[in-house]
Amino acid sequence: MRASRLISLLLLLQSRGSMTASELARELEVSERTVYRDVLALSAAGVPVYADRGRAGGYRLLGGYRTRLTGLTRDEAEALFLAGLPGPAGEMGLADAVASAELKVLAALPPALRDAPARAGQRFHLDVPGWFRETAAPLWLPELARAVWADLVVELRYRRGDREVTRRVQPYGLVLKSGVWYLVGRVGDDVRTYRVDRVTGAEVGDEHFDRDEGFDLAGHWREQAGSFLRTMLRAEVAVRLSPAGLRQLRHLVDAPNVYDELVAAASEPDGQGWVVARLPVESTQVAYHQLLGLGPEVEVLDPPELRALLAGAAARLAALYR
């Protein structure tokens, strides 16, 4: 346990340059007294770590000192080569950078772990886009990725419906969701989200913006995704489902947790195993197309207009197969 912590402390100093005892304690989740002891242990082992005094002081490594990655376990080394996501990285124009970084990490690994990238590549492949989707990267993705990395303001032209709008955006981050790229950026006082495949132009100049360092991209995305789903599912329908219909419904519901919540709130099965449940839907028309796929395994109870739509479809089907 302590050996792992000493390696983490060393790598923190190597990557960040200088850190105070309180910063190290917070990162390592230990007390400052433990940090003092660990620093002494590193010094005793010959690692050139020293302390700067004063208000702006902290611990740092002697200039130019680097450590090889001899502290990596096999699991850590193999996980490291899974983290590159070469497909998405390539779409952002970072394929060469990722390949170069992997070569440097590979060169620093001890001989016993040199097979880590081959083992990971043989066992795992991440194919991010969904089925039946175009896999070509959006035209302006590399340019937007460059602006995100460098904190550069973007003059964004964006297709909204049948018109094009222009926005001056401070690009905070890019998100890949189900094979679709989204740009998250600040426009005035608002943080907005744009589908990158709807961007028709992106002019990146030399103007830098001051990033809000407290902005949490992952947290913001989770909140926005949840809010988007809540606004999408504006209606609710009451249905009776056979056992087969209840099982098949899982494949027709896109929103996470909706199916599990529906099953948990469903009525007790009747004598034939049918249950009554309420299903949140985007609209009556969308529900019609979803439930039509269940055929005779579902009966709509409410609203009447949806029941009438399915009854009409059933009558037309019966006429076709008469």
Side-chain angles (χ1 to χ4, degrees), residues 175-192:
V175 176
L176 179 61
K177 170 70 172 177
S178 300
V180 180
W181 284 97
Y182 297 87
L183 174 71
V184 177
R186 186 175 294 280
V187 179
D189 295 330
D190 300 328
V191 177
R192 301 183 184 178

Side-chain angles (χ1 to χ4, degrees), residues 12-317:
L12 281 169
L13 292 178
Q14 183 173 298
S15 62
R16 301 191 187 179
S18 176
M19 295 182 70
T20 65
S22 63
E23 289 172 338
L24 285 166
R26 187 164 54 251
E27 287 282 350
L28 299 171
E29 298 182 347
V30 296
S31 67
E32 290 187 31
R33 185 177 295 275
T34 298
V35 170
Y36 299 144
R37 288 198 297 265
D38 286 351
V39 169
L40 288 175
L42 287 174
S43 296
V47 177
V49 57
Y50 67 95
D52 285 331
R53 306 290 181 184
R55 180 176 298 178
Y59 291 107
R60 66 173 65 246
L61 296 171
L62 191 65
Y65 179 84
R66 310 291 291 176
T67 181
R68 298 183 70 194
L69 299 177
T70 53
L72 284 177
T73 66
R74 172 165 290 281
D75 287 346
E76 290 168 340
E78 290 173 354
L80 185 62
F81 285 96
L82 275 178
L85 283 174
E91 291 180 358
M92 289 190 291
L94 300 174
D96 291 343
V98 169
S100 176
E102 287 185 349
L103 283 174
K104 291 177 181 178
V105 172
L106 183 60
L109 288 173
L113 299 182
R114 295 280 169 82
D115 64 338
R119 281 174 54 86
Q122 288 170 348
R123 288 161 173 78
F124 300 98
H125 175 68
L126 305 180
D127 186 8
V128 179
W131 292 104
F132 312 114
R133 286 183 181 270
E134 293 290 336
T135 57
L139 176 64
W140 295 99
L141 180 60
E143 195 72 359
L144 293 173
R146 182 174 72 86
V148 168
W149 277 116
D151 293 341
L152 293 171
V153 174
V154 177
E155 196 78 17
L156 195 72
R157 294 194 301 278
Y158 187 76
R159 189 175 67 254
R160 175 173 291 172
D162 58 354
R163 63 193 182 97
E164 186 178 88
V165 297
T166 302
R167 295 289 183 268
R168 185 177 172 82
V169 182
Q170 297 177 358
Y172 271 36
L174 287 161
V175 176
L176 179 61
K177 170 70 172 177
S178 300
V180 180
W181 284 97
Y182 297 87
L183 174 71
V184 177
R186 186 175 294 280
V187 179
D189 295 330
D190 300 328
V191 177
R192 301 183 184 178
T193 302
Y194 300 92
R195 276 186 61 144
V196 178
D197 58 3
R198 293 178 184 167
V199 172
T200 58
E203 296 180 15
V204 182
D206 298 324
E207 182 184 352
H208 289 264
F209 65 90
D210 294 326
R211 174 181 291 268
D212 178 4
E213 296 299 337
F215 179 77
D216 177 6
L217 178 62
H220 172 80
W221 180 260
R222 283 193 300 271
E223 182 180 334
Q224 288 296 108
S227 175
F228 175 72
L229 287 176
R230 287 192 294 272
T231 57
M232 284 273 295
L233 304 178
R234 298 185 297 269
E236 193 175 65
V237 300
V239 292
R240 283 183 70 238
L241 293 157
S242 71
L246 188 60
R247 289 193 301 271
Q248 293 169 24
L249 185 64
R250 177 190 294 275
H251 306 295
L252 300 178
V253 176
D254 294 328
N257 302 325
V258 167
Y259 178 80
D260 293 335
E261 292 172 3
L262 177 146
V263 171
S267 69
E268 291 294 322
D270 62 17
Q272 296 177 310
W274 287 59
V275 299
V276 175
R278 301 197 70 84
L279 174 66
V281 295
E282 185 176 345
S283 67
T284 299
Q285 197 63 36
V286 171
Y288 165 71
H289 290 291
Q290 286 179 316
L291 297 177
L292 193 60
L294 296 181
E297 307 302 329
V298 63
E299 177 190 1
V300 172
L301 304 177
D302 190 63
E305 58 268 27
L306 178 58
R307 185 178 174 91
L309 283 173
L310 284 169
R316 291 196 301 275
L317 281 169

